[in-house]
Amino acid sequence: MFIMNLSSPILGHFITIVVFLVIIRFLAKTSFLHILVRCWRSFEDKFYVYQIFKVPQFNDLLLENQLYHKVSTYLTSLPAIEDSDFTNLFSGSKANDIILHLDKNQVIHDSFLGARVHWSNEKYCEENGKRALVLKLRKKDKRMILRPYLQHILSVADQVEQKSKEIKLFMNLEKNPYENGRWRSVPFTHPATMDTMIMDGDLKNKVKADLELFLKSKQYYHRLGHVWKRSYLLYGASGTGKSSFIAAMARFLNFDVYDINISKVSGDSDLKMLLLQTTSRSMIVIEDFDRFLTEKSRDVSLSGVLNFMDGIVSCCGEERVMVFTMNCKDQIDQAVLRPGRVDVHIQFPLCNFSAFKSLANNYLGVKEHKLFSQVEEILQYGGSSLSPAEIGEIMISNRNSPTRALKSVISALQSQTNSGDLRGPSKVGQRMTGSRSARSSRDETGETGGAFNQESSVHAVREFKTLYGLWRMGSRRKESMDLSSSAEKEESQQAA
């Protein structure tokens, strides 16, 4: 009896503690505690004076605000976005990637140097739907943290972008007054790389070296008073790999791609606006450029195109690569292709024997075959009559039987040769062009093959020849570089 009376107060305290813990756990698992915390913070906020800072997505000219992009990247990386009441989920470029984005009604809390800040995504113009990221912080903390906090955001955003950089493909849409900007993007998933490209090895190495040198030449371009950009012309028959090479260049540089569809450009000023809305470290592409230049009725004038290529507007941004593709450049006004507008010319020929062997190895897993000699003889005496894409398609269709695939290729080559279907410039024209290129190269450097010319003083010649053999500084004028494969160079020399 004594023991029971003694234990009764202890048992009562124990029961009280258990009930209290159950209540706390219940509140923690429900929204009641969350409501209490939010009410307390709201009450506390009434006693502070806050200052608001807006980061608009676009400026008055509808140019994207890069700070908006940086802040958005930073907020997406915060753990607070996962702890918020709601957020937007998007799939990333990879199968298992899930990306969280700030919703328009969502508030994200962050802290820096002991100060609490708040971010929200708000609409600040009802007419056209322009949005802004809004920073709210206590006025007493502004002088202490504002600038260091913004620098912190930029630093973290750069690190996040460097780790998770994914190439995007931007496409221009029809002009719409209710849309912000003209570009819409999708992940760039083209699998082509420099290693997978079927092309002359020396030519590929020259282009890679030229791109690498361009990336390192910011101070050099500035010293010359030139805009830090580079332009390439890829020309050759359809199916020779021009579009795949653009993808390989983008992956090699890790640049976003802006693919301009000129048929959706309403005029010269619209073309300028598209260029202004591109970013640095990007590739700006116009395919089938020769078809546009030969059209009689078009909304964009030739003058507008030339200004787009090297006018004042083209200087509004750096570290850009412009790429133009053509089937044939013989009928194009040389004013369009002059140095400065097009720095490097790269020809994509029809399939030669070297490319054929690479295709057979890639598509069929065959490095040597008794039928190779017959293919080589046809290509040597009959000339290339099929593109790598056409030969590749024949091999894909017959990939279960390499012998049948090679026989089908031989039959197709013979058929094209007998019918006289040699697309593009004639063999004579190609040899004449090649011989002029080879003679020009020998006259200027004493060597055969393509070379790169840039404006500079005479004393810089030896340095650039030693490094890459791509840039030659001969006089005060600039010249274009015309790259051709080793096989084409030999043919040019023989014709000369």
Side-chain angles (χ1 to χ4, degrees), residues 258-463:
Y258 287 83
D259 186 13
I260 296 181
N261 184 346
I262 298 190
S263 66
K264 295 182 179 180
V265 180
S266 59
D268 293 355
S269 59
D270 190 31
L271 183 61
K272 291 179 181 179
M273 184 59 65
L274 285 172
L275 182 60
L276 287 172
Q277 291 181 356
T278 61
T279 62
S280 298
R281 296 185 61 82
S282 62
M283 287 180 58
I284 302 168
V285 178
I286 298 182
E287 297 195 83
D288 298 323
F289 196 38
D290 51 341
R291 185 174 62 183
F292 162 76
L293 294 173
T294 55
E295 287 180 353
K296 294 183 179 180
S297 59
R298 57 189 182 215
D299 296 324
V300 181
S301 67
L302 178 60
S303 175
V305 171
L306 298 184
N307 288 328
F308 168 85
M309 297 173 75
D310 71 338
I312 294 296
V313 178
S314 70
C315 305
C316 299
E318 288 197 308
E319 203 172 3
R320 288 193 180 111
V321 172
M322 289 187 173
V323 183
F324 307 93
T325 69
M326 296 182 181
N327 286 343
C328 180
K329 67 173 185 175
D330 294 344
Q331 306 300 322
I332 304 302
D333 188 346
Q334 292 304 305
V336 178
L337 305 180
R338 71 160 177 79
R341 290 180 178 143
V342 177
D343 302 311
V344 183
H345 296 229
I346 305 176
Q347 183 178 10
F348 286 74
L350 295 173
C351 190
N352 55 29
F353 185 61
S354 176
F356 166 80
K357 290 194 296 182
S358 297
L359 290 170
N361 185 28
N362 289 352
Y363 286 80
L364 305 174
V366 176
K367 293 185 177 180
E368 293 293 339
H369 197 279
K370 61 182 181 180
L371 294 176
F372 276 15
S373 58
Q374 190 173 349
V375 175
E376 183 178 16
E377 182 179 358
I378 295 173
L379 292 175
Q380 182 177 356
Y381 295 103
S384 297
S385 56
L386 294 178
S387 68
E390 291 171 320
I391 292 181
E393 181 57 35
I394 294 174
M395 292 180 175
I396 289 176
S397 302
N398 299 276
R399 59 184 179 275
N400 293 328
S401 175
T403 300
R404 184 172 68 245
L406 296 179
K407 288 182 178 179
S408 299
V409 169
I410 292 172
S411 176
L413 287 171
Q414 290 174 335
S415 175
Q416 293 290 336
T417 302
N418 294 335
S419 65
D421 184 13
L422 297 178
R423 289 155 292 175
S426 66
K427 297 297 290 182
V428 175
Q430 290 178 6
R431 288 174 178 167
M432 290 177 64
T433 303
S435 64
R436 285 197 300 268
S437 175
R439 284 196 296 269
S440 175
S441 178
R442 287 194 294 267
D443 290 344
E444 293 176 318
T445 65
E447 301 175 356
T448 58
F452 210 118
N453 303 320
Q454 267 301 352
E455 183 180 36
S456 181
S457 56
V458 176
H459 69 271
V461 178
R462 188 172 303 168
E463 177 184 357

Side-chain angles (χ1 to χ4, degrees), residues 44-152:
E44 186 183 30
D45 288 345
K46 301 295 183 182
F47 297 93
Y48 291 101
V49 178
Y50 283 87
Q51 191 156 350
I52 305 296
F53 298 89
K54 289 186 176 181
V55 184
Q57 185 177 8
F58 298 96
N59 62 16
D60 294 337
L61 297 176
L62 290 182
L63 303 181
E64 186 176 9
N65 183 2
Q66 293 301 308
L67 181 59
Y68 180 94
H69 174 71
K70 296 289 185 182
V71 173
S72 179
T73 301
Y74 171 77
L75 295 178
T76 301
S77 69
L78 292 178
I81 199 169
E82 297 183 10
D83 299 333
S84 59
D85 296 339
F86 54 88
T87 189
N88 295 320
L89 298 177
F90 296 94
S91 60
S93 59
K94 299 179 181 179
N96 298 325
D97 282 354
I98 302 296
I99 301 173
L100 283 72
H101 279 288
L102 185 66
D103 188 81
K104 62 182 179 180
N105 298 317
Q106 185 181 8
V107 177
I108 293 294
H109 304 285
D110 192 18
S111 61
F112 183 75
L113 298 179
R116 284 178 57 83
V117 300
H118 314 274
W119 285 99
S120 59
N121 187 359
E122 300 178 3
K123 185 183 295 185
Y124 71 93
C125 184
E126 295 293 339
E127 296 179 357
N128 53 21
K130 292 182 180 178
R131 308 200 67 83
L133 292 171
V134 179
L135 170 64
K136 178 182 176 183
L137 57 88
R138 296 171 183 175
K139 198 166 186 177
K140 71 181 184 66
D141 297 330
K142 182 188 72 171
R143 292 187 181 277
M144 179 182 69
I145 74 162
L146 180 59
R147 291 188 179 277
Y149 181 54
L150 293 177
Q151 292 298 324
H152 168 72

